[in-house]
Amino acid sequence: MNENFYIQIFEGKQVRIVWDAEKEKYYFAVADIVQVANRYS
């Protein structure tokens, strides 16, 4: 599997992202998404 790791900034928070070129899909760290979502609750 060929993977590329990234850290993106969304609303001031870091979100870890992995691109799987073989499957042509992005994967996101659930903990990071929950942290961003909790900011709005």
Side-chain angles (χ1 to χ4, degrees):
M1 180 177 356
N2 183 12
E3 297 182 53
N4 295 305
F5 297 91
Y6 301 96
I7 294 180
Q8 296 288 330
I9 303 298
F10 179 78
E11 299 293 329
K13 300 287 185 180
Q14 292 184 349
V15 178
R16 292 169 286 175
I17 300 171
V18 175
W19 169 249
D20 184 338
E22 185 177 301
K23 294 181 182 178
E24 296 184 354
K25 289 185 178 183
Y26 280 106
Y27 296 93
F28 300 89
V30 173
D32 296 346
I33 300 300
V34 170
Q35 183 180 26
V36 171
N38 279 336
R39 180 177 179 190
Y40 295 104
S41 59

